[in-house]
Each structure stands twice: as C-alpha cells, then as structure tokens.
Amino acid sequence: MACKPVPDHVPPEMVKDFSLFTSPGMERMPNGDPHAAVACLHDAPPIFYSPNNTRDGRGTWVITRAKDQRRVLQDTATFSSHRSIFASALGENWPMIPLELDPPAHGVFRSLLNPLFSPKRVMVLEPVIRERAITLIDRILAASTSCDVMKDFAFPFAVSIFLGFLGLSDKERDTFVGWGRDLLHGENVKRTAAALAIVGFIDELAAMRRKEPAGDFMSFAVGAQVNGRPLTDEEVRGIGVLLFVAGLDTVATAIGFDLAHLARNLKDQQLLRSEPDRIGLASEELLRAYSTVQMIRVATKDIDFDGAPIRKGDYISCATMIANRDPEEFDCPNTIDLAREDNRHTAFAHGPHRCLGSHLARREIVIGLEEWLSRIPDFRIKGGTAPITFGGHVFGIENLILEWS
Amino acid sequence: MRIIVHKNKCQGHARCWAQAPDIFNLDDEGYILPGDIEVAERDELLASRGARSCPERALEIDATADALLTRLLFNQACGGVK
C-alpha cells in the first residue's frame, strides 16, 4: 500500500522513519521479538510523525511515553475514537459499540455492558473457564509429549470461552477464528470478505434472538434498552461485531507470548511452577512486556501537544507495546521481572475505553497459565521449530511448538 | 490514613479491588464507589498498595489525614484542647 504524503503542517524534523508495519523487527519472522524492536523508540523524541503507520498507509502521530498516552486516552473530547474502522472496510459508516463512540453516548452503552463483564461477574465464570482449560490440557497430555500451543490450547481455550459467553456454538470455532485472522491480518480482499461474513452472521444471530430469546448475550442485546428505548438494529450490530472481533485472538495471543517466554526462561517457569501464587502478579508483568494492541485516536481540533502541531483530523497512535517499555514509567523496562510491583501498564488501555473484557481476559490468562504449569512438566520450545511472530497494528504469534518429557 | 477517591477518574480497571477487596468497594459495573476511604492503621500497607496500583491515578493517598491529628486540630479550632 502506497503511503500518503506527509501533511504540510508537520515539521520535517518531526517526521521519523518508523512504522509498526514496516520497520525492522515488525515483519513476520521466526523467533522474532517485535516488542524489543519497538522498545528502542524511547531513545527517540516522545512524539513524532510516522508517515505510514496504519494498514491503509496513513500517517499518524506516535506517542511513545506512558504519561502522554494516558493524557491522550483520558481526553476523549480532544482525541476521538469515532473512526468506524470496521464499517469503513465495507464502505459503510457505523460504529463498533462502545469502542468507536465518544462520551456521552459511549457511557450509556458502557453502563449497559459493564455489569456483564464486571470483576464479580467474571468470578462466577471461573469454574467453567478452569474446566475448559483442564479438558484441553488433559487431551494434549494424553496424545503426545509435544503440541502447538496456539492450535491445541490457546485458541480453542480462549475462543470457546468467548463463544460460550456470546451463546455461540463451539462447533463453528474454526470458521470464526478464520474470519478473525483474515480480518485482523489478511490482505484487503480477504479482509472485506471476513468483515461481510461477520456482519452477516451477527445480523442473522440478532434476528434469531429477536424471534426467540435464548438467555445469551445476543438475546440480552436485542432485549436491552438505552435512554428508555430499545437498541436499533445498527446498535445491536455494532455491539455484536465488536465483541466478536475483540474476543477472537487477544487472549490466545497473550497466552502464546506468555508460554513462549516461560519456555525460553526456565527459571521463570520454575518459579511459577513451584509458587503458583505468583502467577497473578507475573501475568501482569507478561501483559506489560508482551502487550499487543495499538489504539488510534482522531484529533477533534487543532492543538499543540508538547510542540507537536496536531491538526484536526490527524491520527494519533498510542501503541501499548511502546508505552509499556517506557523507562520513565517502569524501572528497567526491558527486563521481564515476574515479581514487578507497581505495574500500572497500559495493556488494556486507559480512559473511558479501558478494555471492557479486561477482567475476563485476566482470569482466562491466569487460569490458563495455572493449569498449564500444574499439568505440563518442564517444557521448552521443540528443537528444530521456531515460533513465528509479527508486528503490525495487533502484534501476534502464529505457532508455538513446545515439548516436554 | 485516608484515600481520596477521584470517582470521575475511575475507569473500572479494578486493580485496587484486586489488591484489597475489603477496602476498595466496587459498584455493579465494577467501578469504585464514591466517597473517600478511611483506612484503619492495620490496613495501611494494603490500602496504599491498592491506591498505587490505579492506572488512572484515581486514588490519592492523603497521608496528612491522621485521624488523631484531625481530631486535635478540630478541638483546637473549637477552643478545646490546647
């Protein structure tokens, strides 16, 4: 994709040849470490302009420091989320909800959805999550002394819990995972096809649940009210599509990066195996070190941001993987210290758009690691194999072949 | 010790609650309940850890709010204990 010219208002000295898509270390490669590759941005100025930093070749301002990202993400009046990224892939214009709404409309939908994802509600799901993890791991153990964590554990685990939450059948899991992969990582044609498939699926599901409620999430959505009125079809679609997309690969990717770290760092693996009480704290450090998401905001007005002349309509990138390696925020940010305290990382973003599913994600990651470590003996990356990682707007890991004896 | 709760900054990360569920109470949406929190001396370490864990900086530790000191100052202001 050709990148667009740098706008005139951007001073040439603020342009930096960096891109989450094309910079060294961002490409798909065996044994890559895209997180380490972006960490070196902290030697650069805290804000700069990247001419080619979205999938469609647009330029963005890049905010590297944690405290500056917090400022951007907390100030929704200046930095809007209204982008319709999903719909625009289809040439349409409707927001994913609540992600692409700004306050005050945003708050109305957050209040509707928050109770379904609250920490206390997630505690109720704990036994189901744990049972799912145990079933999958026992199956792996019975079959072999090696497996592909992504294919055999991380994806089936995270996606089936999410589908169960949405009230969807686990049988079509591979189809859904394929849509998610094409949507997030595919080229344009695949991406549009996947987007169409997901919208069609959500619309159809909503229609079915309108006819016959089933006590699941989509039944809740079609029956819900905001401001004393039922949701419109477009709102139900916006919510359904967001939850569907958000749950497909984030947790699986986190588990993949975490187990890759433990496979390569046997001391850390030993520590968590012998003292499982540390897994909760450790999982926060792993979220910090291997966060995967980039938030993009759009300026609603002209502002001067510490000398950067941001103009209305400019894109501002807040990449969690960059802020989480900020030495002003974290001592020795590139050292992964599973006992790190005061770890106010930004893996789930800041501000009103804090990840709605963060509490569910955290429980899944902790339970996944607990059950894996308590059942699978000392594991390492299988000789002759290499995990393939990649950068981009969502960082990822494709495969992780582990072995044990 | 007292924790000053900036309710408008809370975004429901619930890191305080994860540290100290008995000190930091959440509403049904998972956000902190309004109102500052008076912390008993035995809970001070836990409470300050919880406050420091807030990614939004919504919890402020008010170390000057020593209960005894407050009472003394109040009494003094009212012409009580000199």
Side-chain angles (χ1 to χ4, degrees):
Chain A
M1 187 72 60
C3 71
K4 304 203 167 39
V6 175
D8 290 342
H9 66 266
V10 177
E13 69 275 14
M14 295 195 88
V15 178
K16 186 173 161 58
D17 181 22
F18 167 82
S19 161
L20 283 171
F21 294 82
T22 58
S23 281
M26 296 298 102
E27 67 273 29
R28 189 177 165 276
M29 65 170 148
N31 288 322
D33 190 353
H35 297 90
V38 296
C40 61
L41 279 177
H42 290 290
D43 299 331
I47 177 166
F48 60 87
Y49 192 87
S50 159
N52 175 18
N53 202 34
T54 70
R55 202 157 44 170
D56 50 0
R58 284 192 60 150
T60 74
W61 293 98
V62 176
I63 309 276
T64 66
R65 303 288 193 266
K67 75 171 177 359
D68 293 338
Q69 284 201 10
R70 210 155 51 233
R71 225 170 107 196
V72 168
L73 296 171
Q74 287 176 338
D75 180 2
T76 55
T78 311
F79 302 103
S80 165
S81 301
H82 191 91
R83 290 204 302 135
S84 301
I85 14 179
F86 188 96
S88 64
L90 300 173
E92 297 171 10
N93 182 29
W94 43 267
M96 288 192 284
I97 298 176
L99 179 66
E100 295 181 329
L101 290 181
D102 292 321
H106 169 263
V108 173
F109 286 94
R110 268 307 276 245
S111 286
L112 177 71
L113 298 172
N114 275 330
L116 304 183
F117 292 91
S118 74
K120 285 170 201 163
R121 183 65 74 91
V122 167
M123 280 166 70
V124 178
L125 297 173
E126 164 124 8
V128 179
I129 300 174
R130 199 170 291 282
E131 192 195 314
R132 187 72 195 139
I134 293 171
T135 305
L136 285 164
I137 296 168
D138 282 351
R139 195 180 299 162
I140 290 167
L141 275 172
S144 177
T145 54
S146 168
C147 79
D148 180 349
V149 167
M150 300 316 291
K151 191 162 65 67
D152 300 327
F153 179 56
F155 271 107
F157 173 58
V159 176
S160 75
I161 289 161
F162 195 72
L163 293 178
F165 185 82
L166 285 180
L168 299 178
S169 155
D170 205 37
K171 274 182 290 191
E172 290 177 86
R173 194 182 65 219
D174 291 345
T175 312
F176 297 147
V177 171
W179 289 348
R181 192 180 46 232
D182 288 351
L183 183 79
L184 295 175
H185 312 296
E187 291 309 317
N188 278 347
V189 177
K190 276 190 167 179
R191 184 177 156 204
T192 308
L196 278 172
I198 293 169
V199 170
F201 177 78
I202 292 291
D203 284 353
E204 193 183 325
L205 184 67
M208 272 161 50
R209 296 296 188 261
R210 270 191 210 285
K211 254 187 232 151
E212 203 174 329
D216 56 17
F217 179 80
M218 285 307 281
S219 306
F220 167 83
V222 297
Q225 296 228 333
V226 291
N227 300 329
R229 60 157 180 89
L231 305 192
T232 65
D233 288 353
E234 198 174 272
E235 287 165 348
V236 169
R237 171 198 285 183
I239 291 173
V241 167
L242 174 61
L243 295 200
F244 189 91
V245 174
L248 273 178
D249 83 349
T250 44
V251 172
T253 301
I255 290 174
F257 276 119
D258 294 358
L259 288 177
H261 174 89
L262 295 178
R264 288 175 171 133
N265 296 275
L266 297 180
K267 261 192 186 161
D268 282 350
Q269 185 182 144
Q270 224 48 62
L271 178 74
L272 298 190
R273 198 190 299 283
S274 57
E275 298 175 52
D277 287 352
R278 289 175 174 272
I279 292 174
L281 194 66
S283 69
E284 293 298 320
E285 173 68 346
L286 294 166
L287 277 166
R288 179 190 73 82
Y290 299 108
S291 42
T292 56
V293 179
Q294 168 188 213
M295 276 82 67
I296 291 188
R297 298 292 184 259
V298 188
T300 59
K301 58 183 177 208
D302 296 355
I303 71 152
D304 177 281
F305 194 96
D306 293 345
I310 296 177
R311 292 290 165 266
K312 184 179 176 176
D314 282 0
Y315 277 21
I316 296 101
S317 157
C318 293
T320 56
M321 49 294 246
I322 300 175
N324 282 337
R325 299 287 182 118
D326 179 357
E328 281 177 29
E329 186 83 3
F330 305 100
D331 292 338
C332 304
N334 298 316
T335 303
I336 296 167
D337 170 8
L338 298 189
R340 187 185 291 273
E341 304 262 2
D342 292 339
N343 191 350
R344 295 183 282 189
H345 63 75
T346 177
F348 295 109
H350 288 293
H353 291 285
R354 187 265 310 161
C355 172
L356 176 61
S358 62
H359 306 302
L360 180 59
R362 283 188 153 110
R363 281 322 290 159
E364 287 180 53
I365 292 167
V366 169
I367 291 170
L369 294 179
E370 283 174 354
E371 296 305 331
W372 186 269
L373 284 161
S374 74
R375 287 176 156 69
I376 307 273
D378 292 3
F379 54 88
R380 62 210 162 262
I381 291 172
K382 187 174 180 178
T385 76
I388 292 172
T389 56
F390 51 86
H393 72 139
V394 185
F395 281 19
I397 175 165
E398 266 178 37
N399 64 313
L400 175 61
I401 320 280
L402 299 184
E403 65 176 359
W404 53 90
S405 39
Chain B
M1 188 179 83
R2 190 167 61 138
I3 309 275
I4 302 170
V5 175
H6 300 282
K7 165 76 177 159
N8 59 335
K9 285 191 182 174
C10 174
Q11 304 294 356
H13 294 262
R15 306 327 296 148
C16 57
W17 175 86
Q19 293 273 0
D22 297 330
I23 298 172
F24 301 96
N25 292 307
L26 307 182
D27 64 20
D28 288 344
E29 291 191 36
Y31 291 60
I32 192 101
L33 289 175
D36 296 347
I37 300 165
E38 294 294 344
V39 180
E41 212 174 304
R42 65 173 184 281
D43 292 334
E44 280 187 359
L45 183 64
L46 203 54
S48 58
R49 222 182 256 162
R52 282 203 318 271
S53 72
C54 178
E56 308 286 349
R57 281 61 172 172
L59 301 170
E60 189 186 331
I61 298 167
D62 182 4
T64 62
D66 182 279
L68 184 63
L69 184 68
T70 310
R71 208 160 47 237
L72 280 170
L73 289 172
F74 176 79
N75 284 341
Q76 205 168 27
C78 298
V81 182
K82 294 274 177 187

